[in-house]
Amino acid sequence: MSEIDPISLKPAIEKYIPLGRSGLLPALHAAQKIYGWLSESVASEVAKNLNVPLADVHGVIEFYSLFYNKPVGKKIIRVCTDQACALKGGDGLLEHLCHHYDVKPRQTTEDLSLTIEPSPCLGLCELAPAVWTMDNERSTIGDGAQEEDRPSSSVYGPIRELTKNCGDGTTSLKKYGEYTALQKALRMKPEDVVAEIKASGLVGRGGAAFPTGIKWEGAAKAVADQKYIICNADESEPGTFKDRILLLDDPHSAIEGMCIAAYAIGANKGYIYIRGEYPYIVPVLETALNEARVAGYLGELFDIEIRVGAGAYICGEETALFESIEGKRGFPRVKPPFPTTNGLFDKPTVINNVETLCNVPLIISKGSLEYRKIGTEKSPGSKLFCVSGDVTQPGLYEAPFGVTLRELLDMAGGVSNFLRPERSRRTRLQSVLFGGAAGAFATPEHLDVKMTFEDLRAVGLPLGSGVVMVFDETRDMRDVLKRLGKFFAHESCGKCYPCQMGTQRQMEILNRVAKSETLPEDFIRLQDVGWTMTDASLCGLGQTAASAVLSAMKIWPELFMESNGLPLEKKDERGKKATGTKVKAKPKKTSKASRDAEAKPKPAVKNIAKNKTNARRK
Amino acid sequence: MITLTIDGKELTIEDGKTLLDAARENGIDIPTICFHEATTANALCRICVVEVEGQRALQPACIVKAATSMKVQTRSEKVIRARRTILEMLASTLDLSESLEIQNMMHDYGASSSRFPDAERRESDVKDDNPMYVRDYSKCLLCWRCVQVCADDAQYTFAINFTGRGFETQIGTFFDKAIPETSCVLCGQCVGVCPTGALKPKREFLLEQGMSPNEISVLNTGRKRRK
Ligand SMILES: Cc1cc2nc3c(=O)[nH]c(=O)nc-3n(C[C@H](O)[C@H](O)[C@H](O)COP(=O)(O)O)c2cc1C
Ligand code: SF4
Ligand code: SF4
Ligand code: FES
Ligand code: FES
């Protein structure tokens, strides 16, 4: 890699210097854009300019998967290998691309032109198998044969309230029209705006299902010189892609929602925190924000800044997100205190999901009474469902709360058989992963459950972020579970012990399950790890990291028993041999050992892309 | 004053105290690992979790404030399972040979050190790169105390921070530099708060390696230890 000249770095990071530590992520992004990766000298320059301790800057680079402290290719192809994509041949595509370019996964070509990496969910699940390519600064979506600058939006469903401006490219302000809901809100007293949101019964769509009005009220009542409103667009829950479509096609809805929230709680500054894997949304948002500034909706009283994440699912957790904006590793904070009193920069903060905020202009425009005409008493309004996997027509479905799973699957053309499409009509549903990786599995017996917060809760299914990932009867659920295990082990922040070690142990056991190499007592071991994470973890990640696994253990206990892969009749034959005679496999290399091992031999293709995060997970 | 119930006993305690304080003042044992009077409590080891009536998740006693009419169980089935499993995962991850307190806890909770077969361990080479202390992160249980005293809990030196993420988190310096090349001032505060022998005075390390005190004094290993 060429010598680093700080001359070109300085102008690129200059505007972040006044932000101090809070400018760290933007500055690192800017630096990485110039050099492709973050070398020691670049990192020290950034540290010096922003006045952040060196060790802290290094700690931050190490935390985020999209920051590299070893050279990587100018072009990086990331292939999603999470659940929805795996169903559509994600692994095969990764293999094919590696073969085609003659590199191994996570390796960089000697001339530093290309790196290919497997990736966690890219938020493109309905387009599976998903591939995201960064070539210098150009971001594209597509499998190499077909490349697009932005992903297409497939939007369906019986009602189009939230999605009325979606499916047809970005909606400009001209097309969106004036912010009439904001204008109406400004004629109301702030407390009346809060009251209207409360009356609407709006519940957060980011996964935690917290009543939005109550959250706003808390922040409105807090006394402080500065308050913040944050739009959570980190969307990294495997299977979720709704916020991508909302922001890409209808950025003004979310922005108007933020303006109304800001007025209601008295915030003077807003942030949109968007995941690093969605770079193509950033210019769309910038344009929309500028349009809103020109129109006078944003300005001195209230303005919005975009912050881009860098590859960390945990940064969708609200307090980890604050830490990330503050320029730190995305470690969740202990609660209480809660964000409404001690949020970003320790100030009262309202953080809402994109979809939640998009509901706000609707509610204010129509009034809560009218809004409540859709949906059910306890789950008013419409909901976006991210339908992926084995259905004929994956995509984003808007439907009123109360729609059943059966109705939703019918809308999506029914269960399909990916490998043998001609058999689709005879292919039956095996299960549905509800709510994402942090969710739970539903089975055909749940087909007629109404999809509302209350009905789903009654049968132990979380609505989560609206993920409906469908598996047909031919799918091996052990493979799905293995990927879940890997996802959480990769994404645990490492702060608290139950999740830091539990996600690792869970992954190890699920790997054994997938290979039919379970050890005696793995069932109980997995259960103990799962319950310990659920009961004792510090944040929502660890508390839900075993949720889907524990639900699978209830539905398919046989998968977790010894010699699980064998057909029933063979089980007896092997039975005696299998019990308790598992030969201990060689202990796995530790991460440190594998790092050392890499340093030694120099293969034809340099192994340099294998740094930090990438070296971690096989 | 606050009145609450712990393990069926009604107790009275001053306002602002934690559940841990309340338990300890009344002779009820709650184990702790990461908690330390001198550092900001992060409630990250979760070994001190207790069951509080009305709360779905277990609560870390070291930071949760006692409140009137709280009903707390320090030894429920859930609590025991969580503590035992955390201890078993620790034993399968790192070298606890010098963490006597944790070994005792394992005994108390019937935790087996071989509960997780075929488990990846967090191993690393001993880093002996400065005259004052030796770092053996195979023994590190990530209590964060060293990072905190090096930063705004005491020294404001910011020589160490974290590397990696999740299971692969470790304590490290800027681009893995040797301690003398960092901002470290060899104050030794980190060594003082380390509970596991992961950070150890060089002198002690050399004695363990079989060197005599005389041989060591010639080496001039950092500051003299106060008696
Ligand atoms: C590990 C983890 C990841 C999360 N990711 C997201 C996310 O990507 N987007 C989001 O809106 N909420 C996410 N959340 C939920 C947020 O913490 C928070 O509850 C939400 O943003 C609040 O907005 P709402 O009330 O509008 O749902 C996540 C939570 C956890 C524990
Ligand atoms: S639960 Fe997991 S992600 Fe959350 S603080 Fe603990 S280690 Fe970090
Ligand atoms: S080195 Fe010691 S003080 Fe530092 S985190 Fe590890 S165990 Fe704690
Ligand atoms: S993009 Fe592949 S699972 Fe979401
Ligand atoms: S002692 Fe309470 S969480 Fe560690």
Side-chain angles (χ1 to χ4, degrees):
Chain A
M1 203 74 207
S2 57
E3 270 302 296
I4 303 306
D5 65 304
I7 314 245
S8 46
L9 181 59
K10 188 81 186 227
I13 62 170
E14 202 132 49
K15 64 177 162 185
Y16 306 120
I17 294 174
L19 301 179
R21 175 129 200 186
S22 162
L24 185 54
L25 265 77
L28 290 174
H29 272 302
Q32 191 163 275
K33 253 186 195 159
I34 302 175
Y35 307 107
W37 63 289
L38 299 163
S39 64
E40 200 183 308
S41 53
V42 169
S44 352
E45 268 310 297
V46 171
K48 207 162 67 194
N49 277 288
L50 266 59
N51 202 14
V52 180
L54 286 171
D56 286 31
V57 171
H58 187 248
V60 165
I61 296 172
E62 285 267 317
F63 190 83
Y64 295 93
S65 311
L66 298 182
F67 288 146
Y68 297 89
N69 55 13
K70 305 256 167 54
V72 277
K74 286 193 184 63
K75 176 171 172 174
I76 306 180
I77 301 179
R78 294 184 181 88
V79 183
C80 172
T81 51
D82 262 339
Q83 295 82 7
C85 291
L87 296 178
K88 307 292 169 81
D91 288 359
L93 183 54
L94 174 66
E95 211 172 290
H96 165 78
L97 287 169
C98 286
H99 182 78
H100 181 78
Y101 290 106
D102 197 20
V103 279
K104 292 218 177 85
R106 289 189 198 81
Q107 279 188 335
T108 295
T109 53
E110 201 141 8
D111 60 357
L112 296 181
S113 63
L114 177 73
T115 305
I116 300 184
E117 290 182 352
S119 166
C121 174
L122 292 166
L124 300 163
C125 329
E126 85 281 31
L127 307 169
V131 183
W132 166 47
T133 303
M134 283 299 290
D135 193 350
N136 282 309
E137 279 187 46
R138 183 159 179 248
S139 152
T140 52
I141 305 298
D143 57 9
Q146 244 187 324
E147 298 280 337
E148 285 165 5
D149 286 339
R150 55 182 275 170
S152 58
S153 310
S154 310
V155 189
Y156 314 98
I159 42 171
R160 299 291 293 272
E161 291 258 321
L162 290 165
T163 54
K164 62 177 179 294
N165 296 321
C166 297
D168 204 16
T170 299
T171 307
S172 64
L173 183 59
K174 201 166 153 225
K175 208 161 128 210
Y176 183 84
E178 290 189 21
Y179 282 10
T180 48
L182 174 64
Q183 288 159 350
K184 184 172 170 191
L186 293 175
R187 291 190 299 269
M188 297 159 70
K189 280 195 265 170
E191 54 269 36
D192 293 339
V193 176
V194 173
E196 196 64 25
I197 297 297
K198 266 176 98 173
S200 75
L202 177 64
V203 164
R205 307 288 200 247
F210 192 83
T212 308
I214 294 180
K215 190 185 276 192
W216 287 22
E217 190 174 48
K221 284 192 175 148
V223 182
D225 53 339
Q226 173 91 53
K227 294 183 192 178
Y228 298 100
I229 163 86
I230 297 176
C231 170
N232 189 344
D234 195 51
E235 188 163 75
S236 315
E237 183 68 50
T240 319
F241 48 86
K242 63 193 178 72
D243 299 341
R244 179 199 98 218
I245 292 178
L246 286 174
L247 287 181
L248 203 49
D249 289 3
D250 192 16
H252 288 290
S253 272
I255 297 171
E256 187 175 9
M258 289 178 77
C259 291
I260 296 169
Y263 174 70
I265 69 157
N268 30 11
K269 173 95 202 240
Y271 289 91
I272 301 176
Y273 187 96
I274 188 160
R275 72 181 297 204
E277 290 83 348
Y278 286 167
Y280 42 86
I281 304 184
V282 176
V284 168
L285 279 177
E286 275 166 353
T287 306
L289 289 174
N290 277 331
E291 287 173 335
R293 281 182 198 118
V294 172
Y297 301 129
L298 295 175
E300 246 162 57
L301 289 176
F302 175 68
D303 209 338
I304 296 173
E305 194 181 309
I306 303 169
R307 283 304 177 96
V308 181
Y313 166 66
I314 188 57
C315 288
E317 196 282 335
E318 51 196 20
T319 60
L321 189 151
F322 303 153
E323 295 281 303
S324 184
I325 294 182
E326 291 177 18
K328 303 177 194 157
R329 288 167 65 91
F331 285 134
R333 303 174 183 168
V334 286
K335 288 187 265 190
F338 292 99
T340 43
T341 53
N342 302 73
L344 182 63
F345 302 115
D346 210 28
K347 300 289 183 190
T349 303
V350 158
I351 175 164
N352 276 130
N353 173 254
V354 176
E355 184 186 342
T356 314
L357 289 164
C358 288
N359 271 285
V360 168
L362 274 180
I363 294 166
I364 299 297
S365 292
K366 306 190 191 188
S368 57
L369 269 180
E370 190 64 26
Y371 175 83
R372 278 181 162 279
K373 286 191 179 153
I374 297 172
T376 65
E377 168 67 23
K378 288 195 178 125
S379 303
S382 64
K383 175 75 195 104
L384 301 184
F385 295 97
C386 308
V387 182
S388 63
D390 293 321
V391 288
T392 307
Q393 192 183 58
L396 186 66
Y397 287 78
E398 179 170 2
F401 272 110
V403 68
T404 64
L405 182 56
R406 187 187 303 278
E407 288 162 345
L408 192 64
L409 293 185
D410 283 348
M411 285 175 217
V415 176
S416 69
N417 187 324
F418 176 69
L419 293 173
R420 308 174 75 171
E422 73 284 359
R423 289 212 176 173
S424 285
R425 286 193 48 206
R426 270 173 289 148
T427 303
R428 280 175 306 186
L429 174 71
Q430 175 168 209
S431 70
V432 174
L433 180 56
F434 246 82
F441 290 99
T443 59
E445 73 177 77
H446 296 116
L447 274 169
D448 294 309
V449 176
K450 284 199 170 109
M451 297 208 268
T452 65
F453 290 109
E454 59 279 15
D455 293 275
L456 287 170
R457 200 174 297 134
V459 294
L461 290 171
L463 189 60
S465 48
V467 171
V468 173
M469 198 185 285
V470 181
F471 303 94
D472 76 34
E473 60 182 342
T474 68
R475 300 299 188 175
D476 183 353
M477 296 314 288
R478 299 171 308 166
D479 182 73
V480 179
L481 291 163
K482 180 184 88 176
R483 287 171 209 273
L484 281 173
K486 182 175 149 191
F487 176 78
F488 284 112
H490 187 260
E491 299 301 334
S492 165
C493 83
K495 179 172 180 172
C496 74
Y497 295 6
C499 166
Q500 171 215 101
M501 294 180 288
T503 50
Q504 171 74 24
R505 297 293 169 255
Q506 174 173 268
M507 173 178 75
E508 289 164 355
I509 300 171
L510 291 174
N511 283 346
R512 290 203 284 269
V513 168
K515 285 192 279 182
S516 301
E517 287 177 4
T518 44
L519 300 176
E521 289 172 44
D522 264 353
F523 191 91
I524 300 179
R525 210 173 270 130
L526 185 58
Q527 228 172 22
D528 276 356
V529 170
W531 282 115
T532 299
M533 286 198 282
T534 309
D535 293 340
S537 290
L538 188 150
C539 88
L541 189 149
Q543 287 163 8
T544 55
S547 156
V549 175
L550 291 170
S551 83
M553 291 176 82
K554 257 194 218 147
I555 306 171
W556 308 288
E558 68 281 2
L559 291 184
F560 302 85
M561 305 296 183
E562 284 171 83
S563 54
N564 57 37
L566 299 174
L568 276 175
E569 61 274 17
K570 279 201 184 159
K571 247 182 196 163
D572 290 344
E573 279 172 42
R574 269 274 308 261
K576 276 182 228 118
K577 230 177 108 194
T579 37
T581 54
K582 171 81 177 54
V583 186
K584 232 184 151 190
K586 258 202 324 211
K588 276 183 211 127
K589 271 192 281 183
T590 65
S591 52
K592 180 62 180 61
S594 52
R595 243 178 269 154
D596 287 350
E598 274 158 37
K600 272 179 255 153
K602 280 239 165 75
V605 179
K606 266 203 247 160
N607 228 347
I608 41 187
K610 290 189 101 184
N611 60 25
K612 38 170 206 136
T613 15
N614 311 320
R616 276 189 211 143
R617 302 294 167 204
K618 295 288 130 73
Chain B
M1 291 302 258
I2 277 167
T3 310
L4 75 166
T5 315
I6 301 187
D7 295 341
K9 267 185 270 177
E10 203 173 276
L11 313 171
T12 318
I13 179 157
E14 281 163 54
D15 281 4
K17 295 268 182 155
T18 62
L19 293 178
L20 182 64
D21 296 329
R24 288 198 170 157
E25 283 179 22
N26 289 281
I28 298 166
D29 177 55
I30 294 178
T32 59
I33 295 178
C34 66
F35 182 74
H36 190 281
E37 256 86 29
T39 55
T40 311
N42 285 309
L44 51 83
C45 78
R46 317 301 280 187
I47 203 75
C48 69
V49 287
V50 294
E51 199 163 336
V52 176
E53 200 178 277
Q55 300 263 13
R56 201 169 40 93
L58 299 175
Q59 301 293 312
C62 65
I63 56 159
V64 171
K65 296 267 187 303
T68 295
S69 65
M70 237 183 192
K71 286 203 172 63
V72 180
Q73 280 187 293
T74 71
R75 292 247 167 184
S76 71
E77 212 174 302
K78 251 190 188 182
V79 168
I80 303 277
R81 175 177 58 197
R83 289 191 190 152
R84 193 193 63 230
T85 309
I86 291 170
L87 290 166
E88 288 173 335
M89 292 197 294
L90 277 172
S92 68
T93 302
L94 40 120
D95 172 1
L96 294 174
S97 59
E98 293 180 38
S99 314
L100 293 184
E101 248 181 283
I102 294 181
Q103 290 175 19
N104 288 339
M105 282 180 210
M106 293 197 60
H107 182 78
D108 289 350
Y109 287 88
S112 150
S113 58
S114 54
R115 179 79 198 282
F116 293 97
D118 276 356
E120 182 174 324
R121 299 182 71 82
R122 206 157 46 216
E123 273 159 10
S124 88
D125 302 330
V126 176
K127 291 184 166 60
D128 176 10
D129 59 6
N130 70 82
M132 162 81 197
Y133 59 98
V134 175
R135 299 177 289 152
D136 178 1
Y137 292 126
S138 305
K139 299 197 177 84
C140 167
L141 44 67
L142 294 171
C143 69
W144 289 23
R145 289 182 197 164
C146 55
V147 176
Q148 289 180 286
V149 293
C150 188
D152 22 19
D153 269 353
Q155 196 63 31
Y156 288 87
T157 313
F158 303 98
I160 47 175
N161 197 268
F162 304 95
T163 63
R165 180 169 90 188
F167 185 76
E168 279 154 17
T169 310
Q170 270 201 339
I171 308 298
T173 57
F174 181 66
F175 282 83
D176 209 18
K177 291 203 171 306
I179 290 293
E181 291 173 56
T182 69
S183 54
C184 173
V185 292
L186 299 181
C187 70
Q189 303 230 38
C190 56
V191 184
V193 292
C194 179
T196 64
L199 302 178
K200 190 178 283 181
K202 180 84 177 245
R203 186 188 157 83
E204 194 180 320
F205 173 73
L206 293 175
L207 283 171
E208 280 170 15
Q209 301 284 305
M211 274 178 118
S212 73
N214 277 347
E215 288 170 297
I216 295 170
S217 63
V218 182
L219 291 173
N220 186 23
T221 57
R223 300 176 180 190
K224 289 233 168 62
R225 290 179 86 203
R226 267 175 265 155
K227 277 276 126 74

